[in-house]
Amino acid sequence: MSTLISVSNLTKRYGDKKVVDEVNLTVKAGQILGLVGPNGAGKTTCLQAVLGLTDFTGEVDVLGYNPKNNRERMLNDVAYIADVAVLPKWLKVEQALIYMAGVHPNFDRQKAEDFLAKTNINHNSKIKSLSKGMVTQVHLALILAIDAKVLILDEPTLGLDILTRRQFYTHLLEDFYNEDKCIIVTTHQIEEIEHILTDVAFIQEGKVVLSESTDNIKERFKLVAVSDEYVSHAQTLKPLFSNRIMGLTTMLFDQAKDHELAELGPVSSPSLADVFVGIMTKNVTKEAC
Amino acid sequence: MAVDKLAQGVLVMYNTVMRFINLFIHSFLRKRTMSAQWHNDTPIYLQLYQQVVSRILEGYIKEGEALPSVRRVAAEYQLNPITISKAYQMLQDEALVEKQRGKGLFVKEGTQALMLAREREAFLTKQWPEILQKISLLKLSAAELLASNKEVTL
């Protein structure tokens, strides 16, 4: 698989504060990377650096281009939906299609029309007359109709109802994705896209605290339901997270040996959300000490 | 005489257990129709593989029929396409399905019989001994198993 995006030692400061701190990431063709972190962790800033929308220190390479110097050419093959996606209120849907076809060499008007045909959005409607969900759908139709190698989605489904969210990912997988492309997506609803992702990076206070393929995460992290008599022994194996309820303590372990865990109680695999909560909580308690 | 009774008892138990298992599998499959729910403990590609095997075995997917495309399944189940490719690759490796150029994957003739034999073998060597052990642990007699069976059968 060829590398489409590589980011090394990416740092972004606002005054004294490092909002992105020595971030390293590579994204290869075929990967769908989830960038996951709490609000204010630096996700959007990372994406903006990759898109050449903000100054930074470090190296960023997107499809062989430097986003700072070759932004215009890079954008032929990169599509982006910002978390604050806005379309001009006075614009008609039809005009948006004409505009995109005019400015973007890789825009496929037919694709956008096909997507819009599945919604009840009229081509003659003005943006200001559409609901929030409809505006987002117009936006998606415009962006996903670009035959881009790299697609960057910053909270693309924020504020959408579950039907529209599902429809969005269905559209993404069925009509956009293929193994020559890559997608980076940030979202707070990781349960919904956990199985869509091939890779995950957790980001906290500007740092990448975990970057793995979802397959490896299943190998690395295990949940164990520990009864009280084994809790003190289990603590020696340094769980990332433990929570006692109804007489059993659920503990999350990273890279523990299977046979050691099996002695403590029933072992299961955590969801991505479990791992996320475990890692975020671990780093916070460490700081408190 | 006593041996005969024992043999008969075992047969009755076997039928009872099979019925339970079928009920279980059916309810399980039914749950899987709309938006699939996956267990965290087994890789999803294996669960997907097993789902296809079960659907062929149960006759929901017929021999000679096409499997839906990787894209279609990815979109429908909201899974990454690599997961589906892995499951489909396993089915191809085991020669249960075959690729027809430009058309996709098709269930091969004779697959159902092949899988029935394989699943029977797996049941008799793996699950059945465990069930027998459980029955003896619970000291259940053939009559008791039969009686419970009547209540379940609709």
Side-chain angles (χ1 to χ4, degrees):
Chain A
M1 289 193 292
S2 57
T3 299
L4 302 185
I5 301 175
S6 76
V7 172
S8 47
N9 304 319
L10 173 68
T11 300
K12 168 78 184 174
R13 281 190 182 81
Y14 285 118
D16 286 344
K17 192 170 159 40
K18 281 185 184 172
V19 288
V20 176
D21 192 355
E22 301 279 313
V23 162
N24 296 292
L25 282 175
T26 40
V27 191
K28 293 180 174 160
Q31 289 188 331
I32 305 175
L33 169 71
L35 199 57
V36 187
N39 292 323
K43 302 184 296 280
T44 299
T45 313
C46 270
L47 297 182
Q48 285 178 338
V50 168
L51 291 159
L53 292 171
T54 183
D55 281 336
F56 56 87
T57 58
E59 297 295 319
V60 176
D61 181 295
V62 181
L63 302 168
Y65 299 111
N66 177 330
K68 278 195 278 195
N69 306 333
N70 307 106
R71 183 150 187 273
E72 201 177 316
R73 284 169 67 193
M74 179 190 91
L75 286 182
N76 282 344
D77 293 305
V78 176
Y80 170 55
I81 299 181
D83 59 342
V84 284
V86 273
L87 292 171
K89 285 206 181 326
W90 46 265
L91 199 67
K92 282 184 183 172
V93 174
E94 175 63 25
Q95 291 171 319
L97 291 170
I98 294 170
Y99 174 78
M100 284 298 288
V103 298
H104 208 297
N106 290 337
F107 179 75
D108 181 344
R109 186 187 158 117
Q110 190 57 47
K111 264 193 165 181
E113 282 183 13
D114 291 346
F115 180 56
L116 288 172
K118 294 181 201 164
T119 69
N120 45 12
I121 297 168
N122 193 315
H123 281 217
N124 284 321
S125 301
K126 278 189 179 170
I127 296 297
K128 70 174 173 193
S129 71
L130 300 176
S131 72
K132 182 181 161 67
M134 286 165 134
V135 175
T136 314
Q137 282 179 317
V138 173
H139 211 120
L140 297 178
L142 298 175
I143 297 304
L144 293 185
I146 296 170
D147 185 24
K149 286 247 162 39
V150 172
L151 178 63
I152 294 178
L153 305 167
D154 195 0
E155 291 287 352
T157 55
L158 200 67
L160 298 183
D161 64 68
I162 186 153
L163 280 175
T164 322
R165 292 206 296 271
R166 240 193 99 91
Q167 193 189 8
F168 168 68
Y169 286 112
T170 301
H171 186 46
L172 189 67
L173 291 166
E174 201 164 61
D175 305 323
F176 179 82
Y177 175 86
N178 69 42
E179 55 200 29
D180 300 326
K181 301 179 174 185
C182 75
I183 301 172
I184 303 183
V185 55
T186 72
T187 178
H188 289 295
Q189 272 127 356
I190 36 177
E191 307 85 13
E192 280 181 21
I193 60 159
E194 129 159 55
H195 302 312
I196 296 175
L197 303 176
T198 63
D199 294 82
V200 176
F202 289 161
I203 183 164
Q204 186 176 35
E205 295 181 357
K207 290 194 176 75
V208 171
V209 288
L210 178 78
S211 174
E212 275 283 15
S213 72
T214 45
D215 286 349
N216 283 346
I217 284 181
K218 294 273 172 211
E219 293 291 311
R220 268 180 65 172
F221 295 92
K222 297 286 173 201
L223 280 176
V224 188
V226 185
S227 60
D228 287 345
E229 49 181 326
Y230 292 113
V231 164
S232 56
H233 178 51
Q235 294 290 359
T236 65
L237 296 175
K238 300 211 163 46
L240 290 181
F241 178 79
S242 79
N243 182 31
R244 188 181 187 281
I245 189 165
M246 293 194 191
L248 281 178
T249 306
T250 305
M251 292 183 171
L252 179 69
F253 294 93
D254 180 10
Q255 288 175 315
K257 294 192 176 66
D258 283 351
H259 67 270
E260 284 182 335
L261 295 183
E263 288 169 9
L264 302 172
V267 181
S268 58
S269 291
S271 70
L272 209 51
D274 294 330
V275 176
F276 178 70
V277 170
I279 287 191
M280 293 298 147
T281 331
K282 177 198 82 170
N283 290 355
V284 168
T285 37
K286 223 193 239 167
E287 275 160 24
C289 294
Chain B
M1 178 75 177
V3 176
D4 264 6
K5 259 202 171 150
L6 189 71
Q8 201 190 358
V10 170
L11 194 70
V12 167
M13 278 185 235
Y14 177 82
N15 287 332
T16 312
V17 171
M18 278 305 265
R19 210 157 291 167
F20 273 127
I21 289 171
N22 280 335
L23 268 175
F24 175 72
I25 291 175
H26 273 289
S27 61
F28 191 64
L29 284 173
R30 228 160 268 154
K31 268 188 216 152
R32 282 276 176 91
T33 45
M34 187 48 191
S35 169
Q37 284 298 313
W38 311 102
H39 311 284
N40 274 328
D41 294 324
T42 316
I44 294 173
Y45 77 93
L46 283 179
Q47 295 180 54
L48 189 64
Y49 160 84
Q50 195 54 52
Q51 180 183 320
V52 176
V53 167
S54 304
R55 295 264 170 108
I56 296 172
L57 205 54
E58 302 262 321
Y60 293 116
I61 309 174
K62 309 243 170 353
E63 290 178 0
E65 249 180 47
L67 294 180
S69 72
V70 169
R71 257 166 210 276
R72 189 72 220 113
V73 180
E76 193 61 42
Y77 286 169
Q78 309 264 301
L79 295 172
N80 82 58
I82 297 167
T83 304
I84 291 109
S85 300
K86 268 192 193 167
Y88 278 12
Q89 190 58 50
M90 275 181 79
L91 294 163
Q92 281 187 78
D93 290 347
E94 293 179 5
L96 302 175
V97 301
E98 62 189 343
K99 194 176 243 167
Q100 289 183 17
R101 197 180 291 201
K103 286 200 219 156
L105 293 176
F106 289 78
V107 179
K108 279 173 78 165
E109 297 295 332
T111 292
Q112 200 181 17
L114 196 75
M115 278 191 314
L116 185 63
R118 206 177 69 178
E119 296 288 309
R120 271 187 178 164
E121 175 66 20
F123 176 77
L124 289 173
T125 54
K126 286 189 198 132
Q127 288 110 308
W128 180 231
E130 285 169 23
I131 293 163
L132 270 181
Q133 213 175 10
K134 184 92 180 169
I135 291 171
S136 94
L137 185 78
L138 298 175
K139 299 189 175 65
L140 284 166
S141 70
E144 280 167 314
L145 285 170
L146 252 183
S148 71
N149 189 23
K150 271 180 200 143
E151 284 161 29
V152 173
T153 317
L154 301 171

